Amino acid sequence: MSTNEQTTTLNELRYDCARQQKKGLHFILASVFIWAAIMVVHFTDLPIETKNILTFCVACPLMPLAWAISKVIHIDFQGKSNSLTSLGLIFSVNQILYILIAMWVFAAVPEKMLMVYSMIFGAHLMPYSWLYQSRSYMMMSIVVPILALVLGLLFQPSVLAGVMFCVEVIFSLCLILENKKQK
């Protein structure tokens, strides 16, 4: 197989993956609910350490929530018919390693943990811009970490949580538009 044929095959697999998985819309919609819960947690009067622990806890149902949403919007959650779908899983697992940084910040500088958590979330989106051939993922992978840094340095974590919720809603709408254009 020539290099051009391999590139064509890879691009076809990427296109197929983006179409079948609706560019990961089920995960981004699930993250809207997660960020809403994080926002509620950070608008409470609880101590910052408790808020941070709850932030980690409310993020745990991401996979089951994404699975449930995939059923509602008709996405094959596992997508076994395309070998690149497992690459998307590797991109996500990669984020788990970076969460260790947020755990360190949790102990060292608790009031900045949500900022670091948000930056990690945003940065992990970049590989999906390649996989799904998505400008929305690329844009968010750059905007979210920078926005999180600025807001995290200037404002309370509750403000950042509220903005992250809004960003996820906007991101979801962008993906919905991208999916409509792709059909």
Side-chain angles (χ1 to χ4, degrees), residues 90-114:
I90 292 170
F91 292 163
S92 291
V93 171
N94 185 22
Q95 183 183 11
I96 293 169
L97 297 173
Y98 299 132
I99 293 298
L100 297 173
I101 298 167
M103 290 178 175
W104 176 82
V105 174
F106 170 86
V109 193
E111 61 278 359
K112 298 302 177 195
M113 196 279 297
L114 188 64

Side-chain angles (χ1 to χ4, degrees), residues 91 94-95 98 116-128 137-138 140-146 164:
F91 292 163
N94 185 22
Q95 183 183 11
Y98 299 132
V116 171
Y117 186 85
S118 301
M119 292 168 70
I120 291 167
F121 168 79
H124 107 281
L125 299 172
M126 189 172 282
Y128 293 101
Y137 274 96
M138 179 58 76
M140 291 301 177
S141 73
I142 295 167
V143 169
V144 169
I146 293 169
M164 285 299 298

